[in-house]
């Protein structure tokens, strides 16, 4: 929904010929802090980036290697167009309710100087918080159906820098630990890549609007005294082709988010702005919320996915969870293992339930309690099965009142042949979300491609995994996630979009010796705010929530917001996130730290001037410690105003969660 009419101003359209960087054109951000220079370098399309008069990206080449030749050589600029755009739009759900979309655009038309004289358009958009560009290969006589063998996009950083990433060739499902290392020493990396370029300059490299294309990876191709150059490495089909195109093509946007602090990267909405507006006219059925489920008990070996004496998804057990959800303000209940296909030799189907699970009765019971059952479709990588059954399954689920489905693809290759983040996988995931929208179904996708902001276009695409999540704290033989993990994710994986990490474990007992959440109880509450997901799961078994005062924070915490702020944070060390409730005056704050205890000073200047508030603070007790005393937590109330500065003392791998409510006078 557009809140303010768009302003689209044609600034210039000229036909020129340029053969060198000296004849190039420049486009700047609306606030003039960032400028991009575009042209050719010895016949190769190129760009460079300057911020506050400092060159941060040197001349970087652009183009493609096609199946029948290159589209990056012997090029000249034949036409350019500049435009400006400024509007504000409203999200049906998200970290902010309204988003300003303000940029200056330069569209450059290239043509080869000699036969076959192919055309290539490159569109640049410069925002106050970064740069984006995409390729357009228009329909032309010299191209019919063609293949991209590699995209030749470069990022020639002016100097080497520390960066956080996960290696693309050793990280299945993106479930890795983000490591800090010089770019010059990195393996090929999954996007996003987060870079500490200077003490007051951070960057993140990713992509937006990934549709019918291959996911990018980033490889270091040169490192010397002039800097370090990264190049895109598209995820291939098994035959080596990166992208199949039919006569014409628009690539995803390549984005460079730029901020003075790491927290600025978290607040960028550039990726969303680069996606198309919603294709769903009526979004009233799309309902963010928090849920519980029969999940942690299975990972902890107390229940099983398959039917048997300890089956989790039985009619009676799920009803028990529904009763708990209704009592404690949860909107949904997930049950994995409700359908055949989990046991040895069983045929998978999403069109019927195990004999001990009456799904229609469960759905009726849930709706009578004001709760919805959440479906689950694990495919073990059998994407074709989901495509064959999803129309019938989604129609059935809709009739029963199911509005959310968690999909899964455990299995190294989709359909035994293609990588999930290849063009093959991207096409599949898009089919699922579009089909789900027809039946008013929201999707939580596990084992996904990395998110790229598609939720703006398809707001039923609620959240995705693509992260080393909480389940590693149940069974990882190496001990689970380290304390720094959840204070690194907000600045890395979470930049790509909503993250189904599944926080809020209250019982740290072990099945595998030494493996449990390496945090305090208060940090688990803080993670519920810090790691954003509009469908947020309180992941523990309900037995571990019974009688716990800490549950009151989760009961009250929304999952969609009118405004988000990042008052402080350092990658891998600590972070504080403050979020304002939609349709109300309350704020919710999460603050978490790594294995080091620290004291955080938190000014509440974001509160309304002249108003009085009550802050309910859930915090580590003085003797709390993630290794020796993880459950020690205190709850206190204090009166606060915009002039108040709260002092938060976080234990080792500890945290705090705060609810701030306006007091009526």
């Amino acid at each position: 929904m557009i809140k303010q009419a768009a302003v689209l101003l044609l600034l210039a359209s000229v036909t020129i010929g340029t053969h060198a960087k000296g004849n190039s054109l420049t486009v700047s951000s609306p606030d003039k802090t960032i400028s991009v220079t575009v042209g050719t370098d010895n016949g190769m399309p190129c760009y460079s980036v300057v911020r506050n008069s400092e060159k941060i990206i040197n001349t970087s080449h652009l183009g493609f290697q096609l199946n029948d030749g290159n589209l990056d050589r012997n090029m000249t600029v034949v036409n350019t167009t500049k435009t400006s755009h400024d509007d504000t739009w409203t999200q049906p759900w998200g970290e902010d309710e309204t988003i300003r979309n303000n940029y200056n655009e330069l569209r450059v038309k290239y043509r080869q100087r000699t036969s076959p004289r192919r055309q290539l358009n490159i569109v640049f958009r410069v925002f106050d918080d970064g740069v984006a560009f995409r390729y357009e290969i228009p329909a032309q006589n010299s191209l019919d159906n063609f293949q991209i063998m590699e995209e030749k996009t470069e990022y020639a950083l002016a100097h080497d820098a520390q960066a956080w990433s996960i290696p693309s060739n050793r990280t299945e499902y993106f479930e890795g630990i983000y490591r800090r290392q010089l770019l010059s020493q990195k393996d090929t990396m999954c996007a996003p890549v987060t870079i500490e370029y200077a003490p007051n300059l951070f960057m993140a490299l990713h992509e937006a609007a990934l549709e019918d294309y291959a996911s990018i990876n980033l490889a270091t191709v040169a490192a010397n005294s002039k800097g370090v150059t990264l190049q895109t490495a598209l995820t291939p089909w098994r035959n080596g082709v990166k992208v199949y195109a039919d006569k014409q093509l628009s690539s995803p946007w390549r984005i460079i988010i730029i901020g003075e602090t790491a927290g600025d990267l978290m607040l960028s909405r550039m990726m969303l702005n680069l996606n198309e507006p919603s294709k769903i006219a009526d979004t009233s059925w799309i309902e963010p919320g928090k849920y519980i489920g029969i999940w942690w008990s299975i990972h902890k070996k107390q229940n099983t996915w398959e039917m048997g004496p300890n089956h989790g998804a039985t009619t009676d057990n799920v009803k028990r969870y529904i009763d708990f959800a209704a009592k404690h303000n949860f909107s949904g209940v997930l049950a994995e293992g409700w359908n055949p296909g989990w046991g040895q030799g069983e045929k998978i189907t999403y069109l019927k339930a195990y004999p001990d699970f009456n799904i229609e009765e469960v759905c009726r019971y849930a709706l009578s309690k004001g709760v919805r059952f959440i479906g689950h479709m694990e495919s073990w990588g059998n994407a074709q099965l989901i495509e064959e059954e999803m129309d019938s399954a989604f129609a059935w689920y809709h009739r029963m009142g199911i509005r959310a489905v968690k999909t899964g693809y455990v299995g190294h290759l989709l359909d035994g042949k293609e990588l999930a983040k290849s063009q093959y996988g991207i096409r599949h995931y898009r089919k699922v979300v579009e089909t789900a929208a027809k039946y008013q179904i929201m999707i939580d996708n596990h084992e996904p491609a990395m998110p790229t902001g598609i939720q703006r276009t398809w707001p039923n695409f609620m959240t995705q995994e693509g992260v080393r999540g909480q389940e590693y704290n149940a069974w990882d033989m190496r001990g689970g996630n380290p304390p720094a993990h959840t204070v690194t994710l907000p600045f890395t994986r979470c930049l790509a979009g909503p993250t189904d990490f599944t926080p809020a474990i209250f019982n740290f007992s072990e099945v595998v010796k030494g493996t449990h959440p390496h945090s305090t109880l208060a940090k688990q509450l803080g993670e519920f705010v810090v790691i954003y997901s509009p469908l947020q799961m309180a992941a523990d078994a309900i037995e571990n929530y019974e009688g716990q005062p800490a549950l009151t924070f989760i009961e009250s915490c929304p999952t969609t917001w009118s405004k988000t702020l990042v008052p402080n944070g350092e990658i891998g060390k600590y972070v504080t996130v403050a979020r304002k409730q939609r349709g109300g005056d309350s704020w919710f704050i999460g603050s978490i730290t790594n294995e080091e205890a620290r004291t955080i000073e938190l000014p509440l200047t974001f509160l309304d001037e002249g108003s009085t508030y009550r802050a309910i603070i859930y915090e580590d007790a003085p003797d709390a410690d993630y290794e020796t005393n993880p459950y020690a937590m205190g709850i206190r109330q204090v009166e606060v105003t915009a002039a108040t500065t709260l002092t938060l003392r976080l234990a080792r791998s500890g945290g705090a969660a705060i609810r701030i409510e306006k007091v009526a006078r």
Side-chain angles (χ1 to χ4, degrees), residues 77-129:
V77 176
V78 295
N79 181 270
T80 66
T81 305
K82 283 187 176 181
T83 57
S84 292
H85 182 95
D86 191 0
D87 74 351
T88 300
W89 57 281
T90 300
Q91 296 193 93
W93 54 265
E95 295 178 89
D96 298 296
E97 189 165 5
T98 59
I99 294 178
R100 186 181 182 187
N101 187 13
N102 185 23
Y103 59 83
N104 292 325
E105 178 179 292
L106 172 64
R107 178 181 293 270
V108 184
K109 180 183 290 186
Y110 292 90
R111 181 181 290 128
Q112 290 176 324
R113 293 194 294 267
T114 58
S115 181
R117 296 182 62 80
R118 286 174 173 167
Q119 298 176 27
L120 173 65
N121 302 332
I122 307 179
V123 184
F124 292 84
R125 290 182 182 174
V126 189
F127 301 78
D128 291 344
D129 57 349

Side-chain angles (χ1 to χ4, degrees), residues 291-308:
Y291 66 99
I292 54 175
I294 301 163
W295 179 81
W296 188 248
S297 63
I298 301 176
H299 283 288
K300 298 290 282 188
K301 309 300 183 185
Q302 296 158 351
N303 290 123
T304 62
W305 280 284
E306 69 276 10
M307 196 170 71

Side-chain angles (χ1 to χ4, degrees), residues 394-408:
F394 289 158
W396 182 37
Y397 302 162
H398 178 81
R399 289 194 300 271
M400 291 188 291
I402 294 172
R403 290 293 178 270
V405 171
K406 176 179 175 180
T407 55

Side-chain angles (χ1 to χ4, degrees), residues 190-204:
C190 299
V193 174
T194 302
I195 302 167
E196 186 176 7
Y197 186 81
N200 63 343
L201 180 57
F202 290 79
M203 294 190 288

